[in-house]
Amino acid sequence: MSNDVVNTKNSITDAGEVAPPDRCKSCRLRALDAFRNADTAEAKFIEGQRRERECFERGDVIVHEHERAKFIRTIYSGWAFRFKTLSDGRRQVLNFLLPGDIVGLQEQFSDASLHGVEALTSLSTCSFQPNTLWDMFGQHSRLAFGVTWIAAREEALIDENLLSVGRRSATERIGALYLHLYRRMRQLRLVDSQGWFECPITQTHIADALGLSLVHTQRSLRQLKKLGLYTRDNGKLRIENPRALERIAEYYEQPPRQMPLI
Amino acid sequence: MSNDVVNTKNSITDAGEVAPPDRCKSCRLRALDAFRNADTAEAKFIEGQRRERECFERGDVIVHEHERAKFIRTIYSGWAFRFKTLSDGRRQVLNFLLPGDIVGLQEQFSDASLHGVEALTSLSTCSFQPNTLWDMFGQHSRLAFGVTWIAAREEALIDENLLSVGRRSATERIGALYLHLYRRMRQLRLVDSQGWFECPITQTHIADALGLSLVHTQRSLRQLKKLGLYTRDNGKLRIENPRALERIAEYYEQPPRQMPLI
DNA sequence: CGGGCCATTGACAGTCCTCAAACCGGGTGG
DNA sequence: CCACCCGGTTTGAGGACTGTCAATGGCCCG
């Protein structure tokens, strides 16, 4: 393949992948309002700033907690998650990262990353030059606006998770999380016609994301399954009755986010 | 006073306040790295976009949940908080807003606000023209970069709160919250030489911010007080032994955030 | 003096956690 | 081919942390 694939200890080549600019065209970022209407100059800028393609395997740590993060990345395919840990090992998953999400935006503004990022699946990312963000703000304000849009969207998403962890019961939390993942995957057109989508998270991840113990997560999960609200099969998840789950989880769909000014 | 003070049902005039541009000069936003070095053109832009000064009283709702937020604001003086509620009334405080914080940034990117904002004290804000953010991105990239910096900082702060609510015990959570507020107020130079600072939050606010019940918050609070870790007096708070509190709360100070590229 | 807001305390219940062990499917090596 | 290990799931038992219900006291104010 092209020479922009990095082969470190943590990287693999992925023969099935496409090279830019086709890769940029099929990037899930394009599915978001923020970058749907990028013009050619903007696309050229992005492609020019692209540094290399990096691949990771499940379990690889992409960004280490408290370490300086080198550059900004976008997720081309695969899942990851952000997390923080306490000194005695307790871990909190902050949110899950899906294709089209940006990794390392927060870190552009501080010396060290205040959270870690770990791959949940085989992961393919694009990384960018260190000064990309700064240059983008100076030269392509629409793109910069889009990046800030992405940041605001991620914050809204963490707000929702905080509401869950703070005020929802265990089963409500799980229901809300499953609905949330379902909706995001649907938005990315990664839910098939049968309603199935890839969901590579284990019960441990759910527990860490929702502030629960593993054992209690398992019991709450079983309860929801007994109610017939979801089915899992071989790493795939299907929400059987979104409406019912919404009521149980106290988590109703919100109008899609828009880019009012573009 | 000048005619840019709004007098609605929820507003008061505040005779002790200053008018722009002095008001801009003393704005706490200037205390943040992001805007410390603003040049005259940038300052002029900000002053030109300033719409009016709005004042609120404790308990006033500045932004209603699920309603369209009109414009972006900055907090000149006073405290507020962001929150979300569930349909049955359970409430989660997402974070506290202090002088220099921006209100309504997230809402610039969506049709409706996904959280509410309520004043905790008499509050003085500056509001801006609807298109201010967009114009800023187009004309003053350094300011735009600063705004995104603020957004990233707020997200990091919510991350920390999520870690608390998800993984810290009740006393740890309270300790971490008190330390957090202490550090932020210190950064704003709002801690006096004796270590005292205004802290207008009630036990109910603490409970709602930390995902605890009011009663249990009270008991955990009493426990920390018995250990001599903090003192409260007439709406003021003093952290008696930050180091000890850090250990109890598992919440250690992180290096200050910087603006690497400016 | 009554009412409202907030802090405080007691009693009790229950959600949720910890410790422990078993089970299951898949991969590995003898 | 089978024993063994491993990550992940499942189940049981007991206890702890945290929530709910209820009531009291202090303070401010009309």
Side-chain angles (χ1 to χ4, degrees):
Chain A
M1 287 289 316
S2 61
N3 63 357
D4 72 338
V5 176
V6 182
N7 280 295
T8 69
K9 172 166 53 90
N10 287 332
S11 299
I12 57 163
T13 56
D14 188 341
E17 298 225 344
V18 293
D22 284 344
R23 184 174 170 88
C24 289
K25 286 210 178 65
S26 61
C27 180
R28 296 285 168 181
L29 264 171
R30 286 294 184 87
L32 303 173
D33 276 353
F35 298 109
R36 192 189 305 282
N37 302 318
D39 62 28
T40 50
E42 290 166 343
K44 262 219 170 72
F45 172 77
I46 295 289
E47 285 168 31
Q49 293 287 320
R50 263 183 91 265
R51 206 175 126 272
E52 54 197 7
R53 181 149 65 92
E54 287 176 292
C55 296
F56 301 89
E57 280 304 286
R58 170 179 246 246
D60 287 352
V61 175
I62 302 168
V63 177
H64 289 266
E65 226 174 332
H66 307 124
E67 277 188 17
R68 179 140 186 66
K70 294 147 286 280
F71 19 68
I72 205 168
R73 293 184 181 88
T74 57
I75 297 184
Y76 180 75
S77 65
W79 286 41
F81 63 90
R82 299 197 307 125
F83 65 93
K84 287 175 82 91
T85 54
L86 295 175
S87 56
D88 60 3
R90 283 175 286 180
R91 183 176 75 164
Q92 177 67 36
V93 169
L94 302 168
N95 62 321
F96 295 100
L97 301 173
L98 270 46
D101 279 345
I102 296 178
V103 178
L105 181 57
Q106 252 190 62
E107 294 85 325
Q108 296 293 305
F109 300 97
S110 69
D111 283 335
S113 178
L114 299 178
H115 57 258
V117 179
E118 185 181 318
L120 268 170
T121 63
S122 295
L123 193 70
S124 171
T125 70
C126 294
S127 67
F128 292 86
Q129 305 293 344
N131 274 4
T132 295
L133 194 64
W134 180 247
D135 293 343
M136 176 188 286
F137 269 75
Q139 299 164 32
H140 293 281
S141 60
R142 292 209 321 166
L143 292 177
F145 198 80
V147 164
T148 306
W149 182 85
I150 302 258
R153 173 172 153 277
E154 184 174 81
E155 184 182 322
L157 178 157
I158 300 168
D159 286 347
E160 186 63 45
N161 195 207
L162 181 52
L163 172 63
S164 267
V165 176
R167 287 305 182 207
R168 277 191 253 249
S169 72
T171 49
E172 288 171 343
R173 289 181 215 184
I174 294 174
L177 174 63
Y178 272 8
L179 272 174
H180 167 80
L181 294 174
Y182 167 64
R183 288 171 188 161
R184 289 190 69 192
M185 290 297 271
R186 193 183 53 188
Q187 194 172 14
L188 292 170
R189 314 218 169 283
L190 293 174
V191 177
D192 71 22
S193 57
Q194 306 296 310
W196 290 98
F197 60 97
E198 291 289 345
C199 183
I201 62 180
T202 67
Q203 293 184 354
T204 302
H205 295 121
I206 298 177
D208 284 347
L210 301 181
L212 298 167
S213 71
L214 176 57
V215 175
H216 198 246
T217 299
Q218 145 67 20
R219 292 192 220 276
S220 308
L221 225 25
R222 188 168 45 79
Q223 209 175 324
L224 286 178
K225 184 185 278 177
K226 208 158 46 183
L227 291 172
L229 291 166
Y230 76 91
T231 320
R232 290 204 76 146
D233 179 51
N234 196 20
K236 295 212 165 202
L237 175 63
R238 183 167 67 177
I239 308 301
E240 297 298 344
N241 189 342
R243 288 284 168 273
L245 199 51
E246 282 184 354
R247 281 192 300 275
I248 286 183
E250 296 256 353
Y251 183 45
Y252 302 96
E253 189 145 22
Q254 283 135 5
R257 302 178 78 71
Q258 313 226 335
M259 282 283 273
L261 293 171
I262 286 190
Chain B
M1 289 289 312
S2 61
N3 63 357
D4 72 337
V5 176
V6 182
N7 280 295
T8 69
K9 173 167 51 93
N10 286 332
S11 298
I12 57 162
T13 58
D14 187 341
E17 300 227 340
V18 292
D22 284 344
R23 184 173 169 88
C24 289
K25 285 209 178 65
S26 61
C27 180
R28 295 286 167 180
L29 264 172
R30 287 295 183 87
L32 303 173
D33 277 352
F35 299 108
R36 193 188 304 284
N37 301 319
D39 63 29
T40 49
E42 290 166 343
K44 262 221 170 70
F45 171 78
I46 295 288
E47 285 168 31
Q49 293 288 317
R50 259 183 95 264
R51 203 175 128 273
E52 53 195 7
R53 182 149 65 91
E54 287 177 290
C55 296
F56 300 89
E57 281 303 285
R58 170 180 246 246
D60 286 352
V61 175
I62 301 169
V63 178
H64 289 266
E65 225 174 334
H66 307 124
E67 275 188 19
R68 177 140 187 67
K70 292 149 288 280
F71 19 67
I72 205 167
R73 295 184 179 87
T74 57
I75 296 184
Y76 180 76
S77 66
W79 287 41
F81 63 90
R82 297 197 308 124
F83 65 93
K84 286 173 84 91
T85 54
L86 295 175
S87 55
D88 60 3
R90 283 175 285 179
R91 183 175 75 165
Q92 176 68 35
V93 169
L94 302 168
N95 62 319
F96 295 100
L97 301 174
L98 271 46
D101 278 346
I102 295 177
V103 178
L105 181 57
Q106 250 190 65
E107 294 86 326
Q108 297 292 307
F109 301 96
S110 69
D111 283 334
S113 177
L114 299 178
H115 58 258
V117 179
E118 185 181 319
L120 269 169
T121 64
S122 295
L123 193 70
S124 173
T125 69
C126 294
S127 67
F128 293 85
Q129 304 293 344
N131 275 3
T132 295
L133 195 64
W134 180 248
D135 293 343
M136 176 188 285
F137 270 75
Q139 300 164 32
H140 294 280
S141 60
R142 291 210 320 167
L143 292 177
F145 199 81
V147 165
T148 306
W149 181 87
I150 302 256
R153 172 172 155 276
E154 184 173 84
E155 184 181 322
L157 178 160
I158 301 168
D159 286 347
E160 186 63 45
N161 195 209
L162 181 52
L163 173 62
S164 267
V165 176
R167 287 304 182 208
R168 278 191 253 249
S169 72
T171 49
E172 288 171 343
R173 288 181 216 185
I174 294 175
L177 175 62
Y178 272 9
L179 272 174
H180 168 79
L181 293 174
Y182 167 65
R183 288 172 188 161
R184 287 191 69 192
M185 290 296 273
R186 193 183 52 187
Q187 195 174 12
L188 292 171
R189 314 221 172 280
L190 293 174
V191 177
D192 71 21
S193 57
Q194 306 296 311
W196 291 99
F197 60 97
E198 292 288 345
C199 183
I201 62 179
T202 68
Q203 293 183 354
T204 302
H205 295 121
I206 298 177
D208 283 349
L210 301 181
L212 297 168
S213 72
L214 176 57
V215 175
H216 197 248
T217 299
Q218 146 69 19
R219 291 191 220 277
S220 308
L221 226 24
R222 188 167 48 76
Q223 209 176 322
L224 286 177
K225 184 186 277 178
K226 207 157 49 183
L227 291 172
L229 291 167
Y230 76 90
T231 320
R232 290 204 75 146
D233 179 52
N234 196 21
K236 295 210 166 205
L237 175 63
R238 183 167 66 176
I239 308 302
E240 298 297 345
N241 190 342
R243 288 282 168 274
L245 199 52
E246 282 185 354
R247 280 191 299 276
I248 286 182
E250 295 258 354
Y251 183 45
Y252 302 96
E253 189 145 22
Q254 284 135 3
R257 302 178 77 72
Q258 314 225 334
M259 283 282 275
L261 294 171
I262 287 191

